[in-house]
Amino acid sequence: TRQNGWHILKAALPPKERRGVILIDPPFEESGEFDRLAESLAAAWKRFATGIVLLWYPIKDRAAVDGFYRRVAELASEQQPILRCELAIHSVGSDGPLAATGLLVCNPPYRFEETYRAVLDDLARALARTPAARASVTAL
């Protein structure tokens, strides 16, 4: 049966193992997806604080993404850090094709930041369409 992933996320957490990875890849077909994503992350983390949560999102509207980051930063702590990973192959614009993408990594594994930074740097160089291509990994 087809079910709404947002409802399944609530129902499936926490797993009895108390460990795991959740990948959230919303369709971004409706308005308010960043709000829904932030709310879902907060709910998931309350139920599954020991898990790793990966949130993928497109970057087409910098203001919307920055607002999302501000909401999510309130959830971060030293015990549960959040990494903001971005890859842009050319300038971001809401009219054109997808130029940049992001991945939030909540509660990243040991040494994830340095390894993923190297991977994103290589991808930015390989996929660059303009000098505006860049990659970054920063803590929220």
Side-chain angles (χ1 to χ4, degrees):
T1 65
R2 289 184 67 157
Q3 294 181 342
N4 184 316
W6 301 114
H7 298 297
I8 293 171
L9 181 62
K10 289 179 185 177
L13 294 178
K16 59 183 171 178
E17 297 84 9
R18 307 292 300 171
R19 298 183 64 163
V21 176
I22 299 167
L23 172 61
I24 302 173
D25 178 6
F28 280 90
E29 295 172 345
E30 300 175 15
S31 63
E33 290 284 11
F34 280 116
D35 292 335
R36 184 178 298 161
L37 196 53
E39 291 166 10
S40 294
L41 172 60
W45 233 358
K46 280 182 186 176
R47 297 177 64 112
F48 189 39
T50 56
I52 299 167
V53 181
L54 306 172
L55 305 145
W56 177 90
Y57 48 93
I59 301 175
K60 287 190 146 203
D61 178 349
R62 178 50 63 187
V65 173
D66 288 344
F68 171 63
Y69 290 154
R70 282 190 295 277
R71 287 189 66 189
V72 170
E74 296 171 3
L75 303 173
S77 69
E78 286 185 29
Q79 290 78 31
Q80 296 173 316
I82 299 176
L83 294 178
R84 159 185 152 171
C85 309
E86 293 186 2
L87 174 65
I89 59 172
H90 56 84
S91 305
V92 173
S94 60
D95 295 353
L98 183 61
T101 184
L103 182 72
L104 281 188
V105 182
C106 307
N107 199 21
Y110 177 69
R111 297 188 63 163
F112 178 89
E113 183 175 353
E114 63 194 58
T115 303
Y116 200 63
R117 181 176 284 120
V119 168
L120 279 184
D121 287 342
D122 287 345
L123 281 172
R125 279 190 296 278
L127 299 174
R129 300 249 174 105
T130 69
R134 64 174 177 72
S136 65
V137 177
T138 55
L140 280 184

